Amino acid sequence: MDFNLSDNQLAFQAAAREFAEKELAPHAALWDREKTFPIEVIKKSADMGFCSLYLREDVGGLAGSRLDTALVFEELAAACPSTTAYISIHNMVAWMIDEFGEKGVRQHFVPEMASGKLLGSYCLTEPWSGSDAAGLRAAAQKKGNKWILSGTKAFVSGAGETDVLVVMARTGEKGPKGISSFVVPTQSKGISYGENEKKMGWNSQPTRIVNLDQVEIPLQNLLGKEGEGFKIAMKGLNGGRINIGACSVGAAQAAVRHSQKYMKEREQFGKPLTQFQALRFKIADMVTHVTASRQMVRLAAFKLDQKDSKAPFYCAMAKRLATDLCFEVCDSALQIFGGYGYSQDYPVERLMRDARVHQILEGTNEIMRVIVSRGVLEENLLNFS
């Protein structure tokens, strides 16, 4: 078993790191402070292939693996977790259309999304259904050669600034079997938005309610078949969980680097912080947690690339472990910085704020535990080999 990255992967990783250092890191604090959605930088990332990482080549994608994708998001998130997380969501939305869209719909939307000309948002959560995603109330009905969508979606990343929505809506019975997925252009009549949510972190991307009032879309904008929408949404989230785990690893990796530098520069009681055993132990734990999280994320990515039937089980474990441990790492970095860590003059407080929401989105970590425990106790998926 070889854990080393290939030469191509190392080159791709280096390109992502260079882009992050040049295009993200110098501006991340300002974007956070002024709540700026850096659309032009996101479009620049598309020139690098970062908006089409695992799309198919015939629509402009790189056809990369989920492991390749994790490497990129880890490097980008070390500079700006918030912007990187949006790019990861855009990739997920574009992949859902690429994978499940009717040929004409796929050819119409995906190349433009791969190039960054169109940006996407994912619409599953509703004001009254978060973890209980199958309890959604937004509805779609056929009328002639149209689907008519009505309902409200909540906590939609990029909403109000993006061009394409993937919307899950009810077309049949209660529960997951009555849900379908649709591609909805945001210029469609009947779409409106709430105000930008006032958030603890993730300030470089807008988050709004999306209201759908008798929105008409063509019948061919259905993804997959009627009633398959919940399965499609969950398949999107399997990759999304790896992506957000990688974003957490990137944030924590940056927090460790900042802590390492600070400990070498800062003195207390006449000696550098590197000489205090309590802080040496703390940084040892931080590095261990980042390394463990990274390997778990990469294992889950490998399972998804291999189309392993247990991949959702591994994606849930990886998401839970990485987002929990890496938030702790960011919090520990803030503690090492002391009062300076609480100041916006240093990046560790922003890294911590941005990383916190990763324990909630793409399925809360409590839901990840539900998935894992069900796999162990009911589906007999436990296998330590």
Side-chain angles (χ1 to χ4, degrees), residues 215-289:
V215 176
E216 297 184 4
I217 58 171
L219 289 179
Q220 62 263 32
N221 282 30
L222 174 72
L223 293 179
K225 297 179 181 178
E226 191 173 337
E228 291 182 342
F230 191 78
K231 290 181 180 179
I232 290 171
M234 294 303 107
K235 286 181 178 179
L237 284 179
N238 285 331
R241 287 164 184 163
I242 295 171
N243 294 346
I244 215 65
C247 288
S248 287
V249 171
Q253 178 176 278
V256 170
R257 287 174 178 163
H258 289 303
S259 299
Q260 178 190 37
K261 183 174 183 288
Y262 184 77
M263 284 176 63
K264 289 182 176 181
E265 294 174 348
R266 177 76 167 171
E267 289 189 0
Q268 289 288 272
F269 304 104
K271 56 183 179 180
L273 295 188
T274 55
Q275 299 301 308
F276 291 89
Q277 188 178 61
L279 297 183
R280 294 176 71 92
F281 283 7
K282 186 181 287 290
I283 202 117
D285 287 344
M286 291 163 67
V287 171
T288 302
H289 289 169

Side-chain angles (χ1 to χ4, degrees), residues 18-33:
E18 182 179 359
F19 182 87
E21 291 173 351
K22 179 181 177 182
E23 301 290 349
L24 301 182
H27 313 293
L30 181 65
W31 296 338
D32 174 71
R33 185 165 58 252

Side-chain angles (χ1 to χ4, degrees), residues 1-7 9-10 67 295 298-299 302:
M1 185 177 296
D2 186 359
F3 286 93
N4 294 315
L5 299 179
S6 69
D7 290 341
Q9 287 172 327
L10 289 171
L67 177 55
Q295 297 310 317
R298 292 182 183 180
L299 173 61
F302 170 79

Side-chain angles (χ1 to χ4, degrees), residues 54 73 84-93 96 122-125 130-131 133 155 157 202 205 233-234 236-245 247 312 315-316 319-320 323 357-368 371:
Y54 45 96
F73 289 150
T84 305
Y86 171 73
I87 295 172
S88 83
I89 293 166
H90 171 82
N91 272 268
M92 178 177 69
V93 171
M96 292 171 72
Y122 180 84
C123 302
L124 175 62
T125 297
S131 293
F155 299 114
S157 292
W202 268 31
Q205 53 169 294
M234 294 303 107
L237 284 179
N238 285 331
R241 287 164 184 163
I242 295 171
N243 294 346
I244 215 65
C247 288
C315 291
K319 193 269 182 181
R320 202 290 301 166
T323 59
V357 74
H358 298 177
Q359 296 169 290
I360 299 171
L361 52 84
E362 312 290 36
T364 66
N365 284 2
E366 288 73 23
I367 292 297
M368 297 306 98
I371 294 170

Side-chain angles (χ1 to χ4, degrees), residues 299 303 308 310 313-314 317 375-376 379-385:
L299 173 61
K303 294 289 184 181
D308 192 310
K310 298 177 184 178
F313 179 69
Y314 283 91
M317 286 195 290
V376 174
E379 300 171 15
N380 297 315
L381 296 183
L382 184 64
N383 184 352
F384 290 113
S385 63

Side-chain angles (χ1 to χ4, degrees), residues 89-299:
I89 293 166
H90 171 82
N91 272 268
M92 178 177 69
V93 171
W95 174 82
M96 292 171 72
I97 301 172
D98 184 28
E99 187 73 11
F100 301 104
E102 184 268 344
K103 182 179 179 180
V105 171
R106 178 175 174 267
Q107 290 291 341
H108 178 73
F109 288 102
V110 181
E112 299 284 270
M113 298 181 77
S115 69
K117 293 179 181 177
L118 297 178
L119 298 179
S121 291
Y122 180 84
C123 302
L124 175 62
T125 297
E126 297 183 354
W128 35 80
S129 61
S131 293
D132 180 20
L136 62 82
R137 301 180 190 177
Q141 294 182 330
K142 285 181 184 177
K143 185 178 181 181
N145 63 347
K146 305 282 187 182
W147 285 102
I148 312 296
L149 279 69
S150 291
T152 301
K153 296 296 179 177
F155 299 114
V156 179
S157 292
E161 302 285 350
T162 53
D163 310 286
V164 184
L165 309 176
V166 166
V167 177
M168 274 53 73
R170 190 163 303 285
T171 55
E173 62 188 88
K174 291 182 178 180
K177 294 182 180 180
I179 296 171
S180 300
S181 292
F182 302 90
V183 182
V184 182
T186 59
Q187 70 266 27
S188 303
K189 184 180 178 181
I191 296 178
S192 61
Y193 304 97
E195 67 173 343
N196 191 4
E197 300 285 353
K198 300 175 181 65
K199 307 187 297 289
M200 175 181 174
W202 268 31
N203 289 321
S204 74
Q205 53 169 294
T207 305
R208 294 184 173 94
I209 278 178
V210 177
N211 297 303
L212 305 162
D213 183 12
Q214 298 289 299
V215 176
E216 297 184 4
I217 58 171
L219 289 179
Q220 62 263 32
N221 282 30
L222 174 72
L223 293 179
K225 297 179 181 178
E226 191 173 337
E228 291 182 342
F230 191 78
K231 290 181 180 179
I232 290 171
M234 294 303 107
K235 286 181 178 179
L237 284 179
N238 285 331
R241 287 164 184 163
I242 295 171
N243 294 346
I244 215 65
C247 288
S248 287
V249 171
Q253 178 176 278
V256 170
R257 287 174 178 163
H258 289 303
S259 299
Q260 178 190 37
K261 183 174 183 288
Y262 184 77
M263 284 176 63
K264 289 182 176 181
E265 294 174 348
R266 177 76 167 171
E267 289 189 0
Q268 289 288 272
F269 304 104
K271 56 183 179 180
L273 295 188
T274 55
Q275 299 301 308
F276 291 89
Q277 188 178 61
L279 297 183
R280 294 176 71 92
F281 283 7
K282 186 181 287 290
I283 202 117
D285 287 344
M286 291 163 67
V287 171
T288 302
H289 289 169
V290 172
T291 302
S293 298
R294 177 184 292 115
Q295 297 310 317
M296 190 71 212
V297 167
R298 292 182 183 180
L299 173 61

Side-chain angles (χ1 to χ4, degrees), residues 66-82:
R66 299 307 178 104
L67 177 55
D68 296 336
T69 300
L71 301 177
V72 170
F73 289 150
E74 181 180 327
E75 294 299 329
L76 298 183
C80 185
S82 173

